[in-house]
Amino acid sequence: MLTKRLSLSLGALAAGSILLSGCAASGASVPAASIAAAANIAHCNPAENTITVTYGQMANEAMAIAVANLQKTYPDLTINATPPSTSNYNELTQTIVADIAVGNRPDLIMTGLGQLQFWVDTYSPSPIDTSVLRPTYKTQFLGAGTVDGTVYLATNQISATVLLVNQDALDSADAGEAKDIKTLDDLVAAAEKVTADTGQPSVSIPTDGLPEWFSQALIQGSGETYVNSDGTAGFGSEKAIEALSIWPTLKNKNLELGVVNNQDAIAQFIGGNAAFLIYTTSTIATIQEGIGDAFNWMPVDLPSVGGEEGALPAGGNGWIVLSEDACRAAYSNALIAELLSPEAVSAASGTSYSYIPVDTEAGDALLASDAATKQLTYAWSYDKPLTPWGGFAGKDTMEIFDTVRLMTQKLQSGADATETVNETVTNINQIVSE
């Protein structure tokens, strides 16, 4: 049961990291259609409209609630909302691009936040009508769906990079409290004590699936820039290199397990072999189920260089309107409002996926529930500012993310941080200039 749920959860998260080559190629070859601005919904006839929605299975519960509620208001509106058999953002994007290529453009889509720039650059979606959102919606999260000052994506299921800590392992090694790990130096010091106690590496920062997200989080969390305003790589600074050097530092001190795969890394933490795991708030529920009462553990804020508290990139997904018809665009925005209602957000951010609730009423209800363990309370109460994931030009997303993945895997193997990061920055800037 755990393996099945773990695979589903990781598929939902990790896939936002890279556009599939077929997807990117197809997207680049399809001319952008004439995207419609939303009409005044009062001037539209629901009986004459059908909206089509493509989304991932992680939104099944919320979608059922949203569709039922919207059809109470517009009983004659037809809503075709059946997800592909995937919770993988890459596969979802590939499906949508293929549908558009043969003339079956959906009106509303879900996308991983790391692919926002791809959709904006390639398909010019309609801006989100934020006036339809309820007063309880946490508008600070709209920044993760904003490009050049315009909101193109309504953030839905949100997660942040986090450090998961086995407190029992720290206690055994007299390595302090998880909550006191504020800097990357603190992490190294605690890991040294745990490794000395156990005789084995104690930290895992996997490098396949989400390496560009983890890299961006380490860079921005330390107060540095990931993407410059001109679209080039912004992480060649001394401090950014110091942040990324956590991989070779841990490797060269025999503190990092060297696990590449996400699921393997989580399994090492659940099994008690890794005392420290950098991963995401959205998997806390799954990890909690796997650990049970085996040991005491806690998520804490991602440590940074010098304890800086820079804004992290948002993980998760959101909604984009691609409709070519003004009335269908209006009904799509109305459906977004229902998808972001307290009831739907509670379903989307509950005990199956521990996403950060994007609605205050939903968050309060979850925190007041019997399910609110200390671990889930951390996820459900997370309210720090988050930025867009990525930011490089959509046409370059796939190649740049591949380049960053290669960088992290070199660093994880112990390569020199300055040389490796500078080489990556040069390669990315060459990609951008082409």
PDB file of all heavy atoms in Angstrom, residues 27 33 57 124 131 155 157 204 290 342 401 434:
ATOM      1  N   GLY A  27       5.256  21.326 -28.688  1.00  0.00           N
ATOM      2  CA  GLY A  27       4.783  22.639 -28.300  1.00  0.00           C
ATOM      3  C   GLY A  27       5.375  23.721 -29.161  1.00  0.00           C
ATOM      4  O   GLY A  27       4.703  24.667 -29.542  1.00  0.00           O
ATOM      5  N   ALA A  33      -2.764  29.723 -30.579  1.00  0.00           N
ATOM      6  CA  ALA A  33      -4.108  30.059 -31.022  1.00  0.00           C
ATOM      7  C   ALA A  33      -4.501  31.428 -30.469  1.00  0.00           C
ATOM      8  O   ALA A  33      -3.779  32.025 -29.676  1.00  0.00           O
ATOM      9  CB  ALA A  33      -5.088  28.995 -30.555  1.00  0.00           C
ATOM     10  N   GLN A  57      -4.457  13.333 -11.613  1.00  0.00           N
ATOM     11  CA  GLN A  57      -5.309  12.596 -10.692  1.00  0.00           C
ATOM     12  C   GLN A  57      -5.232  13.092  -9.261  1.00  0.00           C
ATOM     13  O   GLN A  57      -6.133  12.819  -8.450  1.00  0.00           O
ATOM     14  CB  GLN A  57      -4.950  11.111 -10.749  1.00  0.00           C
ATOM     15  CG  GLN A  57      -5.303  10.467 -12.087  1.00  0.00           C
ATOM     16  CD  GLN A  57      -4.982   8.980 -12.122  1.00  0.00           C
ATOM     17  OE1 GLN A  57      -4.264   8.482 -11.278  1.00  0.00           O
ATOM     18  NE2 GLN A  57      -5.527   8.291 -13.105  1.00  0.00           N
ATOM     19  N   SER A 124       0.620  31.477 -24.804  1.00  0.00           N
ATOM     20  CA  SER A 124       0.036  32.774 -24.445  1.00  0.00           C
ATOM     21  C   SER A 124      -1.337  32.635 -23.787  1.00  0.00           C
ATOM     22  O   SER A 124      -2.350  33.088 -24.332  1.00  0.00           O
ATOM     23  CB  SER A 124      -0.088  33.657 -25.700  1.00  0.00           C
ATOM     24  OG  SER A 124       1.160  33.830 -26.308  1.00  0.00           O
ATOM     25  N   SER A 131     -10.645  38.278  -9.721  1.00  0.00           N
ATOM     26  CA  SER A 131     -11.819  38.809  -9.015  1.00  0.00           C
ATOM     27  C   SER A 131     -12.797  37.703  -8.623  1.00  0.00           C
ATOM     28  O   SER A 131     -13.642  37.909  -7.745  1.00  0.00           O
ATOM     29  CB  SER A 131     -12.537  39.844  -9.884  1.00  0.00           C
ATOM     30  OG  SER A 131     -13.163  39.219 -11.011  1.00  0.00           O
ATOM     31  N   THR A 155      -2.580  29.328  -8.485  1.00  0.00           N
ATOM     32  CA  THR A 155      -1.914  28.286  -7.705  1.00  0.00           C
ATOM     33  C   THR A 155      -2.940  27.481  -6.915  1.00  0.00           C
ATOM     34  O   THR A 155      -3.874  28.020  -6.338  1.00  0.00           O
ATOM     35  CB  THR A 155      -0.876  28.904  -6.755  1.00  0.00           C
ATOM     36  OG1 THR A 155      -1.459  30.043  -6.111  1.00  0.00           O
ATOM     37  CG2 THR A 155       0.344  29.344  -7.516  1.00  0.00           C
ATOM     38  N   GLN A 157      -2.345  23.398  -5.594  1.00  0.00           N
ATOM     39  CA  GLN A 157      -1.702  22.530  -4.615  1.00  0.00           C
ATOM     40  C   GLN A 157      -0.228  22.960  -4.525  1.00  0.00           C
ATOM     41  O   GLN A 157       0.527  22.790  -5.471  1.00  0.00           O
ATOM     42  CB  GLN A 157      -1.832  21.069  -5.042  1.00  0.00           C
ATOM     43  CG  GLN A 157      -3.278  20.576  -5.003  1.00  0.00           C
ATOM     44  CD  GLN A 157      -3.455  19.192  -5.593  1.00  0.00           C
ATOM     45  OE1 GLN A 157      -3.032  18.937  -6.723  1.00  0.00           O
ATOM     46  NE2 GLN A 157      -4.095  18.295  -4.854  1.00  0.00           N
ATOM     47  N   SER A 204      20.536  12.665   2.848  1.00  0.00           N
ATOM     48  CA  SER A 204      20.186  12.369   1.459  1.00  0.00           C
ATOM     49  C   SER A 204      19.553  13.600   0.810  1.00  0.00           C
ATOM     50  O   SER A 204      18.583  14.151   1.332  1.00  0.00           O
ATOM     51  CB  SER A 204      19.217  11.188   1.367  1.00  0.00           C
ATOM     52  OG  SER A 204      18.967  10.859   0.011  1.00  0.00           O
ATOM     53  N   GLY A 290       4.312   6.077   6.286  1.00  0.00           N
ATOM     54  CA  GLY A 290       5.355   5.059   6.205  1.00  0.00           C
ATOM     55  C   GLY A 290       6.100   4.864   7.512  1.00  0.00           C
ATOM     56  O   GLY A 290       6.438   3.735   7.888  1.00  0.00           O
ATOM     57  N   PRO A 342     -12.913  26.786  -0.101  1.00  0.00           N
ATOM     58  CA  PRO A 342     -12.432  26.102   1.109  1.00  0.00           C
ATOM     59  C   PRO A 342     -12.677  24.596   1.085  1.00  0.00           C
ATOM     60  O   PRO A 342     -11.800  23.814   1.481  1.00  0.00           O
ATOM     61  CB  PRO A 342     -13.235  26.785   2.219  1.00  0.00           C
ATOM     62  CG  PRO A 342     -13.528  28.158   1.692  1.00  0.00           C
ATOM     63  CD  PRO A 342     -13.744  27.969   0.219  1.00  0.00           C
ATOM     64  N   PHE A 401      16.987  22.407 -17.585  1.00  0.00           N
ATOM     65  CA  PHE A 401      16.757  21.512 -16.451  1.00  0.00           C
ATOM     66  C   PHE A 401      17.642  20.272 -16.543  1.00  0.00           C
ATOM     67  O   PHE A 401      18.134  19.764 -15.535  1.00  0.00           O
ATOM     68  CB  PHE A 401      15.289  21.115 -16.382  1.00  0.00           C
ATOM     69  CG  PHE A 401      14.397  22.170 -15.751  1.00  0.00           C
ATOM     70  CD1 PHE A 401      14.900  23.394 -15.350  1.00  0.00           C
ATOM     71  CD2 PHE A 401      13.049  21.922 -15.565  1.00  0.00           C
ATOM     72  CE1 PHE A 401      14.095  24.359 -14.777  1.00  0.00           C
ATOM     73  CE2 PHE A 401      12.223  22.876 -14.981  1.00  0.00           C
ATOM     74  CZ  PHE A 401      12.741  24.090 -14.593  1.00  0.00           C
ATOM     75  N   GLU A 434      21.193  31.134 -27.792  1.00  0.00           N
ATOM     76  CA  GLU A 434      20.962  30.522 -29.118  1.00  0.00           C
ATOM     77  C   GLU A 434      19.575  30.841 -29.656  1.00  0.00           C
ATOM     78  O   GLU A 434      18.630  31.036 -28.897  1.00  0.00           O
ATOM     79  CB  GLU A 434      21.137  28.994 -29.005  1.00  0.00           C
ATOM     80  CG  GLU A 434      22.569  28.584 -28.737  1.00  0.00           C
ATOM     81  CD  GLU A 434      22.715  27.090 -28.529  1.00  0.00           C
ATOM     82  OE1 GLU A 434      21.669  26.391 -28.440  1.00  0.00           O
ATOM     83  OE2 GLU A 434      23.852  26.616 -28.429  1.00  0.00           O
TER      84      GLU A 434
END
